[in-house]
Amino acid sequence: MNKQLKILFIGTYVPKECGIATFTADLLNSVSGEYNDVHCEVIALNDPSETYNYPEEVVFQIQRDRIEDYYRAADYINQSDIDLVCLQHEFGLFWGNAGDYIFALLSGINKPVISTMHTVIREPEPEYRVSTEKLIRYSEKLVVMSQTAVDMLKDVYKAPEDKIELIFHGVPDYPFNNCSKYKKMLKLKGAPLVLTFGLLSQNKGIESMLEALPEVVSQYPDLVYLILGATHPTIKKNFGEAYRQYLKNKVSELGLEKNVVFHDKFVEKEELCNYILASDIYVSPYLSREQIVSGALTYAIGMGKAIVSTPYWYAQEMLSDNRGLLVDFGDTNGFKESLLHLIENPEECDIMRKKAYDFGRKMTWKNVGKQYNTVFTRALKSYNTYSSTSNKFNFLPSQLPEVKLDYLKLLTDDVGIIQHSNLGVPARHHGYSTDDVGRALVALTQLIDSQKKTEEFWKLITTYMSFLEHAQTDTGHFHNFMSYKREFLDEKGSEDTLGRAIYGLGHVVSCPYLSKNMRTLAHTLISRAMPEMEKLNYPRAKAYTVCGLYEMLRAGVEADEFESVFNSRRDAVKSIDSLVSKDALESVFTSHANSLVGLYEANHTEDWNWFEPTVTYSNAKLSESLLLAYNYTKDRTYRKVGLATLDFLTEIQWKGDFFDMVGNEGWYSYKGEKPIFDQQPIEAGYLTQAYVSAYEIVRENKYLELAKYSFEYFLGRNRLRTVMYDYSTGAVCDGLNRDGMNCNQGAESVVCFLMALGALNKHMDKTLSTILQSTASDEVDETLQKRKGPLSANQME
């Protein structure tokens, strides 16, 4: 090897008392010990509330019932310089349905995966078949430890033959020996000493051996049967020591107290090997045929023990060619006869031991390490020839979806927009919201520019304007929530509600495709809200207001343009003296923009370019509002802060090929951990709008490229690679949760989708040409490189 090969192992790990933990550590040592230019790290799997003092090679830990940890582990892998991943797979290691939490990690990484399969099921239940087939798909290579497992992968799961590698379970390399030295070392008695070891559980079948012993010890009273191992942690947690007590009771019933010894402890590898070396006969009385590998049996073979076992799959294969004796499951007489045969035929027993020992030489950890390194090298080479992260989202459409208002109209009745749905069916008991109506006006006025269905838009806009006019309070504020009985449920909405209403009304005023009457009404409602706008304190309310007033100001709207219409219907609306002037609009506009700049100056640091100590919701609207303020005033401070904060949102959410939005489960605080879920579609919609605005202002193609990528969040360019948009209905799902997509389809989601679509539609031709000219957003990556910001586990028996 010319360069250092960096390998990441995923599995349980020492000091956890678990067979796979021991296997992972042994495999790591054998791989790294074979070559000086191999560097190994570990991601360790922990049970809930479990902590260990891990060695330095453990670089990341997964609490196996927390799906967020799997996602974060994928992020760690992608950001590291690891060359490949070696996964220790056994269904019970991972949480979820048949251990499917692991696919949250595997589906999100851009490194080749070599999976060591500690379990292969011949007749799987549906969920285990699905899980195995997914593992095959995500793995570059599948390592199994028996020919039986190879045959099952090909016959049962149709795994490609070139993906499958047979590498035996490793064993320590000890010289062939007699047992007396180690018996003396451990102060053990027994002539012979018979051993069963491993984590104790009901499937061990030890009772079969106990029932076989009375006739054997009647002839050989010095025989000792040592049962070595602690109770399996899961068994102990659920059933306590019931099985061990059952065995002890049976020992008493059979009068074997002098011949059966229990050592109730988990022994470290070196001590375990000493016990095996001290034994004369190893017994493996498992009750289940479906055992594809056994670390305990492997160790006994590798150390040249005389072996009696039931014919589970692994034992049948490993003990062929007279390397051991097989006894049928639960065959007490068979165990008795086999033990007596080995004791009474020492020369034949020694031949059997030597055959086992010679076979075990190919299973020493040194040889296993060499074989794994060969597989790693081949897998890495083949992966590089055809694998590419740029293909990760190649299912995305080449064109934007057509504007489809079917679902918005389904949510809209003659009052307003029903806020929420139950799996796509409007949920009337949730009623209506000014928040949704205000944003819907933004979406429709943006889309009407490129659509000729004026009548369709006019009807919806008229309904929404009617709702806002009715929702406005005597002070100029707005109620937010209205029940399905058409009763307002609050005295007034939040400051954000006021801001969202102004946001929508400003777009109506500036929309040339709407009647002058409609635009005058919007101007009137804004004028009445002026005293409330001036008192705003919350940053997002100010940002919405800035965005709404910008629409009026950029269109050059003067109050006298609407005076004649206003005067003719003054009595028909809630009274105000006059429409607000341009100067008054500019005063509120710049005041709020300055306030946002002040927030930024008070909270940003070298590694936190944001307005607040926490990134919460509707984030990109803050950045966009300052970009719009710059576009109107040409004050470069607005431009500087708007771009710095928008780039910061890119930095903390763009993963190089998809957007990973700040989740609402706690939000993202400075020096804290970014939450993955609950991700909301509004963030993708607002990001798209902000990037389009940034492009229109500074004309840098990277922003148009990012706008397309953030919009494609709806189409599957997201952490779960899940399409949230329904092309047949125009509905949009409500978010990405820890257990998958939220299949409810509320008003906010579809409205934000339409807002983003309207913003991007204006530049679609330019966007496509930009994307075709670049690969995986090189310009975006270059920008992020300029400024680094906070980016933020063989159950051996």
Side-chain angles (χ1 to χ4, degrees):
M1 301 179 186
N2 297 321
K3 64 179 282 290
Q4 187 178 54
L5 180 63
K6 296 187 177 182
I7 303 165
L8 178 74
F9 291 87
I10 301 176
T12 50
Y13 202 69
V14 293
K16 182 179 175 69
E17 296 179 352
C18 162
I20 291 182
T22 304
F23 181 93
T24 307
D26 286 338
L27 179 56
L28 180 149
N29 290 328
S30 69
V31 167
S32 61
E34 192 57 35
Y35 298 98
N36 293 327
D37 49 4
V38 173
H39 173 76
C40 297
E41 296 180 351
V42 178
I43 289 180
L45 287 156
N46 300 327
D47 285 320
S49 304
E50 189 178 63
T51 59
Y52 292 102
N53 184 21
Y54 284 116
E56 62 181 1
E57 60 265 26
V58 175
V59 294
F60 196 96
Q61 297 179 46
I62 292 174
Q63 184 173 307
R64 65 192 189 97
D65 65 332
R66 292 189 61 201
I67 197 166
E68 298 97 323
D69 285 4
Y70 295 84
Y71 286 115
R72 291 195 173 98
D75 292 342
Y76 173 84
I77 293 168
N78 289 335
Q79 294 166 15
S80 73
D81 58 355
I82 289 298
D83 292 303
L84 55 83
V85 172
C86 183
L87 171 71
Q88 304 309 303
H89 184 272
E90 201 283 327
F91 299 101
L93 287 187
F94 317 107
W95 219 256
N97 196 14
D100 64 359
Y101 272 25
I102 189 58
F103 299 114
L105 187 159
L106 296 183
S107 65
I109 62 175
N110 52 18
K111 315 280 185 178
V113 176
I114 290 81
S115 296
T116 302
M117 299 183 68
H118 293 261
T119 300
V120 182
I121 305 173
R122 176 169 283 167
E123 296 179 357
E125 295 294 328
E127 62 269 29
Y128 287 92
R129 175 178 287 279
V130 169
S131 191
T132 302
E133 290 174 346
K134 289 178 74 173
L135 182 67
I136 293 169
R137 190 163 65 250
Y138 283 119
S139 301
E140 194 72 17
K141 293 288 184 181
L142 303 160
V143 177
V144 290
M145 304 181 217
S146 67
Q147 185 61 43
T148 306
V150 172
D151 296 339
M152 278 197 285
L153 283 177
K154 292 192 293 186
D155 298 341
V156 179
Y157 300 97
K158 309 305 178 187
E161 188 169 0
D162 60 356
K163 270 195 175 187
I164 307 171
E165 302 284 347
L166 172 57
I167 304 178
F168 291 119
H169 191 297
V171 296
D173 193 4
Y174 283 89
F176 190 72
N177 68 92
N178 59 40
C179 313
S180 56
K181 170 186 173 183
Y182 292 93
K183 285 182 184 177
K184 186 175 182 179
M185 178 192 303
L186 296 173
K187 298 179 182 180
L188 293 173
K189 297 179 180 181
L193 177 63
V194 182
L195 174 68
T196 292
F197 73 86
L199 296 173
L200 201 62
S201 62
Q202 290 89 334
N203 74 328
K204 284 291 188 288
I206 293 172
E207 57 270 26
S208 300
M209 259 297 296
L210 294 178
E211 291 169 357
L213 285 180
E215 291 189 47
V216 180
V217 300
S218 67
Q219 301 181 50
Y220 300 96
D222 292 333
L223 180 149
V224 172
Y225 181 33
L226 175 59
I227 302 168
L228 173 64
T231 300
H232 193 290
T234 303
I235 300 297
K236 189 171 184 176
K237 179 179 179 181
N238 296 326
F239 305 103
E241 295 287 2
Y243 181 61
R244 185 181 297 276
Q245 190 58 50
Y246 162 74
L247 295 177
K248 288 183 176 181
N249 291 341
K250 184 169 285 292
V251 167
S252 297
E253 293 170 9
L254 296 171
L256 297 171
E257 293 92 338
K258 295 181 180 180
N259 302 96
V260 178
V261 177
F262 290 89
H263 279 196
D264 181 9
K265 64 177 180 176
F266 184 91
V267 292
E268 299 298 333
K269 186 177 68 173
E270 183 177 353
E271 185 180 4
L272 171 61
C273 291
N274 289 336
Y275 274 103
I276 299 171
L277 292 166
S279 66
D280 297 286
I281 300 171
Y282 170 73
V283 180
S284 180
Y286 285 160
L287 297 177
S288 172
R289 186 177 300 277
E290 293 195 2
Q291 175 110 358
I292 207 65
V293 67
S294 167
L297 182 61
T298 306
Y299 271 45
I301 293 170
M303 296 183 195
K305 297 292 105 179
I307 300 170
V308 181
S309 175
T310 51
Y312 52 91
W313 292 332
Y314 189 68
Q316 278 187 303
E317 183 175 332
M318 294 294 107
L319 300 182
S320 61
D321 296 331
N322 198 33
R323 291 189 289 267
L325 298 178
L326 294 177
V327 175
D328 204 2
F329 300 100
D331 184 357
T332 300
N333 188 63
F335 278 111
K336 178 193 75 173
E337 296 296 335
S338 295
L339 288 173
L340 289 172
H341 181 80
L342 291 173
I343 296 169
E344 294 169 355
N345 296 276
E347 291 183 1
E348 185 178 334
C349 181
D350 284 344
I351 292 172
M352 185 181 295
R353 289 182 57 207
K354 192 64 169 63
K355 283 189 175 184
Y357 182 81
D358 291 343
F359 183 77
R361 295 316 88 211
K362 66 180 70 176
M363 299 190 294
T364 63
W365 278 116
K366 182 177 181 179
N367 287 327
V368 167
K370 288 180 180 179
Q371 294 175 71
Y372 267 93
N373 275 313
T374 299
V375 171
F376 292 158
T377 303
R378 288 207 307 265
L380 190 60
K381 187 174 181 180
S382 62
Y383 181 83
N384 287 339
T385 60
Y386 64 84
S387 299
S388 171
T389 58
S390 63
N391 293 325
K392 189 173 180 181
F393 296 97
N394 61 6
F395 56 85
L396 292 165
S398 59
Q399 296 182 337
L400 293 179
E402 294 183 3
V403 175
K404 192 175 187 66
L405 299 181
D406 297 32
Y407 191 71
L408 182 63
K409 289 191 288 185
L410 179 68
L411 292 176
T412 302
D413 59 15
D414 61 345
V415 174
I417 311 174
I418 301 294
Q419 283 190 81
H420 301 296
S421 79
N422 187 359
L423 300 177
V425 177
R428 295 178 176 180
H429 60 280
H430 285 294
Y432 314 88
S433 167
T434 292
D435 291 341
D436 295 329
V437 168
R439 286 182 291 221
L441 287 172
V442 175
L444 292 175
T445 52
Q446 286 182 321
L447 291 168
I448 200 172
D449 185 34
S450 58
Q451 299 295 310
K452 304 304 179 184
K453 302 175 183 178
T454 307
E455 182 178 344
E456 182 180 25
F457 282 79
W458 173 83
K459 183 177 181 180
L460 289 169
I461 291 172
T462 300
T463 299
Y464 301 156
M465 284 296 297
S466 176
F467 184 93
L468 288 185
E469 195 273 338
H470 182 49
Q472 193 165 40
T473 68
D474 292 338
T475 67
H477 211 296
F478 291 86
H479 296 287
N480 191 11
F481 300 116
M482 175 188 277
S483 73
Y484 191 69
K485 295 179 181 180
R486 304 189 182 189
E487 298 171 344
F488 285 113
L489 303 176
D490 49 25
E491 292 185 14
K492 66 178 181 180
S494 67
E495 288 192 1
D496 283 5
T497 296
L498 175 64
R500 291 176 185 125
I502 302 304
Y503 185 29
L505 292 169
H507 276 77
V508 172
V509 174
S510 65
C511 182
Y513 297 93
L514 297 177
S515 68
K516 193 169 186 178
N517 284 349
M518 185 77 75
R519 295 164 63 213
T520 300
L521 176 59
H523 203 318
T524 303
L525 300 183
I526 290 174
S527 298
R528 296 196 69 250
M530 182 60 74
E532 296 289 344
M533 282 192 282
E534 293 174 337
K535 297 186 294 185
L536 291 175
N537 292 299
Y538 289 93
R540 282 157 186 78
K542 294 179 180 181
Y544 283 121
T545 301
V546 168
C547 292
L549 297 184
Y550 168 77
E551 289 299 316
M552 297 178 67
L553 294 169
R554 74 164 180 85
V557 173
E558 294 283 359
D560 55 10
E561 178 185 348
F562 299 97
E563 279 298 335
S564 59
V565 178
F566 171 75
N567 289 329
S568 67
R569 65 179 303 279
R570 183 182 298 172
D571 292 339
V573 297
K574 298 169 185 174
S575 61
I576 54 172
D577 293 331
S578 64
L579 298 178
V580 67
S581 68
K582 178 182 177 181
D583 288 344
L585 292 173
E586 286 182 340
S587 177
V588 174
F589 180 79
T590 56
S591 173
H592 290 338
N594 289 337
S595 175
L596 293 176
V597 171
L599 273 177
Y600 174 79
E601 295 295 342
N603 288 287
H604 89 97
T605 65
E606 183 179 350
D607 58 352
W608 186 261
N609 282 313
W610 194 238
F611 300 93
E612 301 166 298
T614 303
V615 178
T616 57
Y617 64 94
S618 305
N619 299 304
K621 199 56 63 184
L622 295 169
S623 303
E624 186 189 14
S625 67
L626 289 183
L627 292 173
L628 298 179
Y630 162 75
N631 207 36
Y632 183 72
T633 66
K634 303 308 176 185
D635 185 330
R636 295 187 67 84
T637 300
Y638 300 150
R639 182 183 189 273
K640 175 184 175 183
V641 175
L643 291 177
T645 53
L646 183 58
D647 288 344
F648 175 71
L649 290 179
T650 307
E651 187 177 298
I652 65 173
Q653 297 181 120
W654 174 243
K655 295 297 182 181
D657 49 7
F658 72 98
F659 273 97
D660 201 24
M661 305 303 176
V662 171
N664 284 8
E665 289 188 347
W667 292 319
Y668 182 26
S669 297
Y670 181 51
K671 299 295 187 184
E673 190 175 74
K674 192 183 90 172
I676 294 174
F677 302 110
D678 165 32
Q679 293 188 22
Q680 299 291 302
I682 188 173
E683 304 305 329
Y686 282 2
L687 263 180
T688 303
Q689 287 182 295
Y691 287 136
V692 169
S693 293
Y695 169 74
E696 291 174 343
I697 291 167
V698 302
R699 293 293 162 175
E700 292 185 18
N701 286 338
K702 69 174 183 180
Y703 290 117
L704 206 50
E705 189 176 350
L706 284 166
K708 181 177 186 292
Y709 290 147
S710 59
F711 179 78
E712 286 179 345
Y713 179 91
F714 295 103
L715 310 182
R717 190 185 285 276
N718 53 56
R719 173 176 284 279
L720 301 185
R721 295 199 289 181
T722 298
V723 179
M724 304 172 72
Y725 177 66
D726 188 332
Y727 286 84
S728 62
T729 66
V732 179
C733 290
D734 277 351
L736 302 181
N737 297 333
R738 65 180 60 237
D739 53 354
M741 184 170 65
N742 183 344
C743 293
N744 293 318
Q745 300 166 326
E748 179 179 284
S749 301
V750 66
V751 166
C752 289
F753 172 86
L754 291 171
M755 291 168 68
L757 181 59
L760 197 54
N761 250 334
K762 296 180 292 182
H763 302 285
M764 188 54 191
D765 291 340
K766 174 66 177 174
T767 305
L768 282 176
S769 64
T770 300
I771 301 304
L772 289 173
Q773 291 169 14
S774 63
T775 54
S777 65
D778 296 333
E779 191 175 358
V780 176
D781 293 340
E782 181 181 348
T783 299
L784 296 183
Q785 286 298 321
K786 292 178 181 177
R787 188 184 72 250
K788 299 293 184 182
L791 300 172
S792 314
N794 167 21
Q795 302 288 29
M796 182 185 288
E797 311 77 6

